[in-house]
Amino acid sequence: TPRAHVGAAAGRVGLLVTGSDKARRVRAALLGALDPLRIPVQLVRPAEDPVWIVDRAAASLLEGTT
C-alpha cells in the first residue's frame, strides 16, 4: 500500500500489479470514483502520471476500456 507523502514527493511513480485477485482494485483505481479511503493508491499524486505495469490477469477487467 503506497503512502501519500512518498507519492507527493516523487517525480515519477511506478506501480507493479499482478494477479487476477487484483483486477477489481486495478479497475477501481483507474476508472472508479475518487475514494482514497477504500483505494489508497489514489492518494499517490506524483508530479507526472504514474506508470502502471499490470499483468494480463490484473488487467482482465480493463478490456474494452480506453
Side-chain angles (χ1 to χ4, degrees):
T1 301
R3 303 286 184 228
H5 67 278
V6 172
R12 180 66 101 179
V13 172
L15 300 151
L16 174 64
V17 187
T18 62
S20 60
D21 59 318
K22 300 292 191 295
R24 288 193 337 205
R25 289 291 190 177
V26 168
R27 182 176 175 84
L30 294 174
L31 302 175
L34 184 62
D35 186 358
L37 292 177
R38 192 173 63 84
I39 308 164
V41 73
Q42 292 178 336
L43 290 170
V44 176
R45 302 283 185 193
E48 297 182 38
D49 287 338
V51 174
W52 287 79
I53 303 168
V54 184
D55 72 359
R56 188 175 304 271
S60 64
L61 297 179
L62 298 176
E63 293 176 13
T65 62
T66 56

